[in-house]
Amino acid sequence: MRADRLVAVLLLMQARGRVTAAELAEELEVSVATARRDLEALSAAGVPVYPQPGRGGGWSLVGGARTDLSGLSAPEAQALFLLLGPAAAGSAGSAGSAAAGAALRKLLAALPRTFRADAEAARDATLVDPVRWGERDRPRPAMVDLLRSAVVSRRRVRLTYAGPKAEPAERLVDPWGLIDKDDVWYLLAGTDRGRRTFRVDRIVRAEATGETAERPAGLVLAAAWQEVVDEIEGRRSRTWATALVEERFVPVLRDRFGRHCHVDGEVDGEAGGRVRVRLAAPTPLDLARHLAGWGALIEVVEPRSVQDELARLGAELVARYSGPEPV
């Protein structure tokens, strides 16, 4: 007799209040005789279940007794369903969303009755649509499932990786974890050269080996990933420029530059009511390319290297478009 089937019997009884052996048999895909034996086994083990004979009868928990299999408080249950509800309502046909939905249904049945209404409301309170306006849906790379399985089973992976400026090369890695950042998946892994980060959509082939993967003692994936983020953001902000812009345009710059846009002080009356902002990009040319389209709406105060790149881009545009009118 399987313990997980007995747990399923308990969950069904808690969710429905009263069940018949025939209903259990259909739900659990066992014979009626097996379902009845399961109910009798629960009763013999001390679980307060009892039969009610006659029309409309069935099996119930004595006095509505419950076995709380979740151990969650009401706020914890709501938080969990708020978090997982959107995943369970994901793309149609998604194995991940189907599994999340099944898990939530089982957990919902295990919650105390007083928690259940709020948990159901929390589950349906949020829908996540990851597709930006005007963009196509970006499907999750098929490689994610293979890599996730290797992470869980602690198996080394032999992969062929094509870098942005390099030919595909074979690597043997110890997979530590997967990260979904703005719908782009990354694999954080250990290699013979230390920690490395791989974009999953650049992995050409991958195969889990029979070798056990090594994982640093005490590794916290979130902390390791934050180190990667800090390193990348540091490289993306090697060049800083100071500029003057009308205050109403600051939200636009913040949206474009993100954490690489800092407002320095209040509105400057001597600068025509404009505010002083600090902007960053990898190189002076990158900054100039981002700012050239603003024209006279923004004035770069420093450094000279960014001003020179803006002047050069302006001269190129003048040379290209200031010729004689076409005949």
Side-chain angles (χ1 to χ4, degrees), residues 53-229:
R55 187 172 183 179
W59 289 75
S60 303
L61 289 165
V62 174
R66 299 189 58 82
T67 300
D68 183 6
L69 301 177
S70 70
L72 297 174
S73 66
E76 290 169 342
Q78 288 186 41
L80 184 61
F81 277 78
L82 279 169
L83 179 66
L84 297 182
S91 304
S94 166
S97 62
L104 284 183
R105 286 192 295 273
K106 292 176 182 177
L107 180 57
L108 186 64
L111 290 174
R113 189 178 300 276
T114 53
F115 294 0
R116 202 178 302 163
D118 286 344
E120 286 183 310
R123 178 191 59 190
D124 300 327
T126 307
L127 174 67
V128 175
D129 182 357
V131 185
R132 295 183 180 181
W133 296 111
E135 292 188 359
R136 296 174 180 264
D137 187 9
R138 244 187 303 188
R140 189 179 72 182
M143 202 75 69
V144 167
D145 291 333
L146 183 150
L147 296 172
R148 179 180 288 153
S149 176
V151 170
V152 173
S153 61
R154 299 287 181 91
R155 295 298 176 191
R156 280 184 169 172
V157 174
R158 192 177 305 279
L159 55 83
T160 302
Y161 187 72
K165 297 179 181 179
E167 292 296 319
E170 190 173 276
R171 318 276 184 93
L172 183 63
V173 305
D174 295 316
W176 294 349
L178 288 157
I179 299 94
D180 176 5
K181 184 174 179 62
D182 194 24
D183 228 14
V184 177
W185 285 84
Y186 297 87
L187 170 69
L188 196 64
T191 72
D192 56 359
R193 298 182 180 180
R195 184 188 68 198
R196 290 292 184 271
T197 305
F198 302 93
R199 271 187 60 148
V200 174
D201 57 4
R202 291 177 182 161
I203 298 177
V204 180
R205 286 183 297 276
E207 177 187 9
T209 71
E211 302 176 51
T212 301
E214 295 181 3
R215 184 182 177 92
L219 174 73
V220 178
L221 184 61
W225 176 247
Q226 187 59 53
E227 292 177 2
V228 173
V229 170

Side-chain angles (χ1 to χ4, degrees), residues 17-20 50-60:
R18 180 181 301 167
V19 295
T20 66
Y50 71 102
Q52 289 181 315
R55 187 172 183 179
W59 289 75
S60 303

